[in-house]
Amino acid sequence: VIGCAVILGGGMGGLFSALALAPLCERVVILERDPPPPASTDAAFSDWARRGASQMRHTHAFRARMTHLLRREHPDVLAQLRLLGVREQTFAETLPDAARRQYVAEPGDDDLTVLLSRRSTFELALHRSLAARPNIELRSGAFVTGLLTRRDASGTLVAEGFSTADGAQRGDIAIDAGGRTSPLAEWLEELGVALPQVGSSAGIVYFTQFFQLRPGATAPTRAAVGDLGYLKFGAIPADNGAHSITLAVPEADLALRQAAARPDSFARIVAALPGASAWIDPAVASPLGRPAGMGDLKSRWRNMAPNGEPLVRNLFSVGDSLMLTNPLYGRGCTLAAIEAHLLRDALQAHADPVARARTYAAAVCRELGGHFEDMRRMDAEAVEAAVAHLGGGTRAPWPVRIKRHYLRHGLGIAVRRHLEVTRRSLRAFHLLEAPGRWQADPRTVAAALGSLLRGQRANAGYYPPPGPSRAQVLELAALKA
Ligand SMILES: Cc1cc2nc3c(=O)[nH]c(=O)nc-3n(C[C@H](O)[C@H](O)[C@H](O)COP(=O)(O)OP(=O)(O)OC[C@H]3O[C@@H](n4cnc5c(N)ncnc54)[C@H](O)[C@@H]3O)c2cc1C
């Protein structure tokens, strides 16, 4: 259908776009500024100079929709991931011990299987899979400096490819998969085109440290994740005995940010978090490097075809460049993979550039728009909660307080008490279904109200462990090493 597709960026969005489009194109060229990965998983993690995707050494979780997509579309990539030591974790394996003892498998549970991998290992698997497709060329060390366009007879802008320091790479379609720092908006501005977008700050700063299981040691059985209001955390297993711990600290909390940034206090904070200390026990695991911080985290959704008219014909955007989300939800890579395949479908369905752009934009909106809005709503609520913890903000009006009470003592308990509610909520969390629907399901509402009526004492075993207060955490952080 297409002669040549040129892709800016060989990160998750670019690699998935190439995989998705290769069967439609005579040629796919990826222009990537960074060098290719070293050959092994451990070298890829420790030595790969990945300046263009500096988040690579932060925790990466992959949503079950990713497993689903790979099984259906790219079983060879899944096989490559397994070959590289990536583990699949089933729904049953994520359940607390008591729930697991009563667990009876149901149809659909298999959809909830997730992949446990370092981001570097995942990219390595994608690189190897691409190498087996002869019509994909990945040009490493190719820094893209601009978008190539022309005006057609009617004066409409048409994309022709990208320019690099080594010359032009022209193609029939151009895809921007340049990630969170994609320069597309500036390039379009130079052409006199404004790129509409909605977005907001994610309101957090990330601190991650990776660990390696010691030879012969056994890792804790499950990930530990928690939200203490003033701090969110996750201890997440990955491939080949590696795991990572992330602290997500509110942007507004300078004292906690300083504490999380220091290796000694990072370790003391983690040791105090429920379920997380087992992951850093020196008898179990040794640190891989120091904690790394990352800020300026945002959500942003760009509209490449406002009112159904593409800003530039034959130009598409995939991954963070199109839809950037708060990393806490661990969805960016899965969103990028979904978008790449929605683009493939739009390109396959139409030859006309306007119809292609409209169809792609509509599909992204239909499949992912609700999730994007849901994440922004949760971000805003989290920022409000963090400000309240710091002693700011105003008392919420009573309808908001009632809703919070229902979420904490009704719905939150039902999700932990009733496996069918757990399943329903996870299907939305893992991008297998639209958000919100599971909450409105009458069976969910009945379970939530039932939990609420039982009362907090009867539900005591279903609340997440409380964890330390912010003052206790700061006190721990202030101790001398
Ligand atoms: C701290 C953090 C933690 C995250 N955790 C998760 C997680 O747990 N799960 C998850 O799914 N997602 C997570 N994400 C999001 C995820 O990393 C992104 O959504 C994903 O990488 C998007 O893919 P992309 O291709 O759009 O961008 P990237 O993967 O960043 O790739 C962009 C590529 O473009 C290249 N590039 C940029 N500019 C140029 C140029 N001018 N010329 C040539 N090449 C260029 C870069 O080198 C890079 O390879 C996290 C993000 C952050 C910041």
Side-chain angles (χ1 to χ4, degrees):
V1 186
I2 296 164
C4 177
V6 192
I7 302 174
L8 185 180
M12 297 303 276
L15 298 175
F16 269 111
S17 296
L19 279 174
L21 299 194
L24 298 191
C25 300
E26 280 165 26
R27 236 175 118 217
V28 178
V29 179
I30 307 173
L31 304 169
E32 168 55 47
R33 51 170 280 174
D34 286 344
S40 77
T41 54
D42 286 344
F45 179 78
S46 54
D47 303 338
W48 192 4
R50 204 65 182 90
R51 294 181 60 185
S54 51
Q55 75 272 31
M56 193 185 80
R57 291 182 182 87
H58 281 275
T59 300
H60 270 67
F62 302 94
R63 296 297 151 226
R65 176 86 179 261
M66 175 70 94
T67 321
H68 209 252
L69 185 147
L70 292 177
R71 282 177 182 164
R72 205 182 54 232
E73 302 273 0
H74 307 293
D76 63 314
V77 176
L78 198 52
Q80 191 60 249
L81 284 161
R82 288 179 185 137
L83 211 63
L84 289 178
V86 169
R87 284 189 295 141
E88 285 149 280
Q89 189 176 49
T90 62
F91 171 59
E93 285 166 344
T94 62
L95 295 174
D97 292 338
R100 206 190 308 186
R101 277 193 291 276
Q102 295 161 17
Y103 170 73
V104 180
E106 289 214 347
D109 283 0
D110 194 37
D111 290 348
L112 295 170
T113 298
V114 294
L115 297 163
L116 301 176
S117 173
R118 283 171 287 187
R119 155 80 187 243
S120 48
T121 302
F122 206 113
E123 278 195 59
L124 180 59
L126 288 173
H127 275 256
R128 289 195 180 177
S129 304
L130 288 186
R133 286 162 172 80
N135 64 337
I136 300 179
E137 182 191 344
L138 197 157
R139 224 172 279 164
S140 298
F143 196 103
V144 174
T145 50
L147 173 69
L148 297 171
T149 55
R150 65 178 165 84
R151 289 202 183 264
D152 67 11
S154 65
T156 307
L157 275 170
V158 181
E160 293 200 304
F162 295 104
S163 51
T164 73
D166 295 327
Q169 177 58 57
R170 293 181 192 277
D172 301 288
I173 62 167
I175 298 172
D176 172 32
R180 56 203 292 275
T181 58
S182 151
L184 189 66
E186 291 90 78
W187 290 340
L188 292 184
E189 201 181 321
E190 283 164 20
L191 292 166
V193 176
L195 176 51
Q197 61 181 50
V198 289
S200 43
S201 163
I204 50 163
V205 180
Y206 243 56
F207 297 93
T208 300
Q209 178 151 34
F210 270 83
F211 292 83
Q212 179 68 46
L213 203 63
R214 290 191 186 281
T218 311
T221 44
R222 269 183 307 281
V225 289
D227 181 357
L228 305 178
Y230 65 91
L231 172 73
K232 296 175 172 51
F233 66 93
I236 309 286
D239 59 288
N240 295 296
H243 61 262
S244 62
I245 305 209
T246 285
L247 303 180
V249 183
E251 234 168 19
D253 196 338
L254 284 181
L256 203 51
R257 280 168 58 178
Q258 280 165 359
R262 292 199 316 269
D264 58 327
S265 48
F266 179 94
R268 281 197 296 271
I269 296 171
V270 174
L273 300 174
S277 60
W279 289 95
I280 58 161
D281 180 345
V284 170
S286 51
L288 284 173
R290 292 161 58 91
M294 191 157 179
D296 196 24
L297 303 171
K298 298 187 185 93
S299 59
R300 178 189 67 206
W301 184 6
R302 286 169 163 173
N303 189 349
M304 298 287 288
N307 305 317
E309 270 305 309
L311 295 171
V312 180
R313 292 190 183 178
N314 297 336
L315 172 67
F316 304 92
S317 194
V318 165
D320 283 357
S321 166
L322 178 68
M323 186 180 277
L324 177 67
T325 56
N326 182 339
L328 257 186
Y329 308 112
R331 287 173 167 170
C333 297
T334 309
L335 293 174
I338 296 170
E339 289 156 14
H341 291 81
L342 293 176
L343 176 60
R344 186 256 336 250
D345 295 345
L347 295 174
Q348 203 164 23
H350 305 278
D352 171 53
V354 176
R356 283 175 164 176
R358 272 185 199 158
T359 306
Y360 177 48
V364 170
C365 193
R366 187 183 60 241
E367 289 259 339
L368 308 176
H371 287 291
F372 180 82
E373 294 306 339
D374 196 46
M375 286 184 266
R376 277 188 75 205
R377 180 190 53 74
M378 290 191 285
D379 284 351
E381 286 173 6
V383 168
E384 219 180 278
V387 170
H389 262 281
L390 290 172
T394 49
R395 192 168 154 81
W398 65 264
V400 175
R401 295 206 304 274
I402 289 179
K403 184 181 157 203
R404 283 184 193 154
H405 186 82
Y406 170 78
L407 292 177
R408 182 163 145 72
H409 302 292
L411 191 63
I413 299 296
V415 166
R416 281 175 228 112
R417 238 183 102 206
H418 300 286
L419 265 191
E420 74 279 8
V421 184
T422 317
R423 286 186 174 95
R424 246 174 263 142
S425 70
L426 283 181
R427 291 191 72 80
F429 178 66
H430 284 291
L431 301 167
L432 294 158
E433 275 174 19
R437 225 169 37 202
W438 71 276
Q439 294 184 16
D441 186 311
R443 294 165 298 175
T444 306
V445 176
L449 291 175
S451 298
L452 202 59
L453 288 174
R454 257 164 60 99
Q456 293 176 31
R457 191 172 302 164
N459 288 333
Y462 293 104
Y463 287 95
S469 68
R470 177 174 175 275
Q472 285 168 330
V473 162
L474 287 176
E475 225 168 88
L476 282 171
L479 292 175
K480 289 271 172 289

